[in-house]
Amino acid sequence: MSRVLEDNAAEEFRALVVDDEPLVAKSLAELLLSLGVTSARVASTGSEALEKIANEDFDVVFCDLHMPGMDGVETMRQLAGQRRDTAIVVLSGRDEKVLRTVGELGRRRGLNVVATLAKPITLKQLTQALSTVRTGISERPPRPLSDLSEQALWLALETSELRVHYQPQLRLADGELHGLEALVRWEHPDHGLVLPDRFVPLAEATGLIEPLTDFVAGQAVTDCGKFHAQGMPISVSVNLSAKTLRRLDLPDRLEQEVARAQLAPEHVTLEMTESGVTADIESLLDISARLRLKGFRLSIDDFGTGSSSMTQLQRLPFTDLKIDRAFVRDACTDSESHALVTSSVELARTLQLKVVAEGIETADTWNLLASLGVDLGQGNHMAPAMPIEAVLPWLSRWRSRVA
Ligand code: C2E
Ligand code: MG
Ligand code: MG
C-alpha cells in the first residue's frame, strides 16, 4: 500500500476521525495510519470532537455528517467559531447532494474544507485528500489580506504594482492558439503575487475598479497589437465587472485604445460575470449594445453560477458563452456537472454563441469537451496564466507537444 506521506515521514501529521459508528471510525483511523499519518485519534460525537480540537492540534479532521445529537453541520458551524485552519474532510454515507452543499457551506464559513467524500471511501479518494492537505492546495475561498486597503490599492495603481498575466485559450478541434485572457495580478512588496479574488472586490467596492479596468484593458490591447504586428493575429479577452459598469463612455474609450494599437475590435472580447450583471441595468444595456455596434465581442463569463443566466442571455447581446470552471473540472467524474456542461453547449449552439470552457485540468476533460463541440478551452492542463514574455516560449513547447 502506498504511503502518501512517506516523503515527510519525519514530520508529524495528526488526524482526528469524528464518527458515531465506532467500527467505521476505527477502520478509517487504521487506514490513515497505514497511509503514513502519525497519529489518528477518534471522537464519537460532535461535542467530543470540538473539545479535542480545542485542546490538541490536528492537521486534518474527518467529520461524518449524520451523527445523533450534534450533527456534522452543527459541529462545523461551531468549529468555524474557534479553529479555522485545520483541514476538514466531510464524510457521508447518504445523500451526495447534501454532502456537496455542506462542503460549500463550510468553505463559505471560512473553513478549510479540502474534500467531501461519499462513503464507502476508496483508498484513492483518501490518498488524494491527504495529499491535498499536505500540499495546502484546497478549495478554500481566499481570505482578504488585512492590509490590502483602498489606500494600498490606490498606491499600487499609482506605482505600477499591478501586472497583467495571460492565460492561453486554445481551439479544442486542433489545439491551435486562439487568444489570451488578461488576468490582473498585484505584485505586492510584502505578499508577493496577489490573485484578483483578493483585491478585485475591494476595487469594485471603492470605485478603483475603473482605473484598474483602464489599466488592464489598455495593457491587453497593447500586447495583443504587438502579437498582430509580429504576424500572429490572436485575440484577447478582458474581464469587466458588470455590476460597476456605469461609465457610458467605456465603448468609446475602448475604441480609441484598439485604434491606437491598430487592432480590429473583433479581436477583443469583453467577459462579464453574470452574477455581476445586476445593478444599473440601463447603463449595462447601453454599454453592451454600443460595444457590439463597435464590433467588440461580448462573453457571459462563469456561465451556470449566477441565479439568472437565462434572463441575462436574452437581455444582453452576447457572442460567447463561457462555462464556469466548477462544472468543467468535474465534467468527467460527476454526472450533474456533465449534464450542466452538455446542456450549456446545446444552449450556446441554439443561440449561435461560441462556447468556451475554462478550468480544463486533464486530457480527459479536453477530450470530452472537444467531443461535445466546445470551441475554445483554457486551463492548467494546457497552461496557467503567465507574464507576457512567457507566452511565446510556452507556445513553442506546446506546439512541439501536440505535433
Ligand atoms: P475568470 O474570469 O473566470 O478567470 C478564470 C480564472 O480561472 C483565473 O483565475 C484562472 O487563473 C483560473 N483558471 C484557469 N484555468 C484553471 C484551471 O485549470 N484550474 C483552476 N483551478 N483555475 C483555473 P484568476 O486569475 O485568479 O482570476 C479570478 C477571477 O478574477 C477571474 O475569473 C475574474 O472574474 C477576476 N478578474 C481577473 N482579472 C480581472 C480584471 O482585470 N478585472 C476584473 N473586473 N476582474 C478580473
Ligand atoms: Mg474571465
Ligand atoms: Mg470564469
Side-chain angles (χ1 to χ4, degrees), residues 167 181-185 195-197 200 209 212 216 239-241 271 273 301-302 325 358-361 379-380:
Q167 185 174 38
E181 178 175 8
L183 295 160
V184 68
R185 271 92 181 95
L195 293 176
D197 286 347
V200 165
I209 193 66
L212 185 149
V216 176
N239 290 283
L240 288 185
S241 291
E271 297 190 1
T273 41
D301 202 352
D302 301 340
R325 60 184 185 273
E358 63 178 22
I360 301 179
E361 294 185 346
N380 294 346

Side-chain angles (χ1 to χ4, degrees), residues 16-20 25 41-45 48-49 52 67:
L16 173 67
V17 179
V18 191
D19 201 308
D20 59 309
R41 309 254 283 143
V42 166
S44 58
T45 63
E48 190 188 338
K52 282 199 161 71
M67 295 186 288

Side-chain angles (χ1 to χ4, degrees), residues 102-143:
V102 175
E104 158 104 30
L105 176 65
R107 286 175 195 124
R108 280 178 185 264
R109 291 201 162 125
L111 288 170
N112 184 16
V113 178
V114 294
T116 51
L117 304 180
K119 293 193 219 169
I121 306 158
T122 64
L123 195 60
K124 192 174 164 206
Q125 288 173 319
L126 207 54
T127 313
Q128 240 166 25
L130 286 178
S131 40
T132 307
V133 178
R134 256 287 170 241
T135 52
I137 301 163
S138 79
E139 292 280 303
R140 180 166 49 162
R143 274 187 237 157

Side-chain angles (χ1 to χ4, degrees), residues 333-382:
T333 50
D334 174 71
S335 58
E336 282 176 20
S337 301
H338 185 277
L340 277 159
V341 168
T342 316
S343 49
S344 302
V345 176
E346 265 172 39
L347 181 67
R349 284 275 158 272
T350 312
L351 300 177
Q352 296 181 314
L353 303 173
K354 187 182 273 186
V355 199
V356 188
E358 63 178 22
I360 301 179
E361 294 185 346
T362 65
D364 284 349
T365 311
W366 169 296
N367 291 334
L368 171 72
L369 297 169
S371 73
L372 290 174
V374 171
D375 300 293
L376 303 175
Q378 65 187 82
N380 294 346
H381 172 60
M382 299 84 87

Side-chain angles (χ1 to χ4, degrees), residues 150 153-158 162 164 184 203-204 206-219 244 247 250 253 257:
E150 178 182 359
L153 183 55
W154 177 81
L155 253 176
L157 275 156
E158 289 291 309
L162 296 191
V164 181
V184 68
E204 288 173 344
T206 56
L208 287 171
I209 193 66
E210 292 188 2
L212 185 149
T213 306
D214 288 344
F215 163 72
V216 176
Q219 185 76 55
T244 63
R247 278 189 317 181
L250 183 77
R253 295 165 67 116
E257 290 285 346

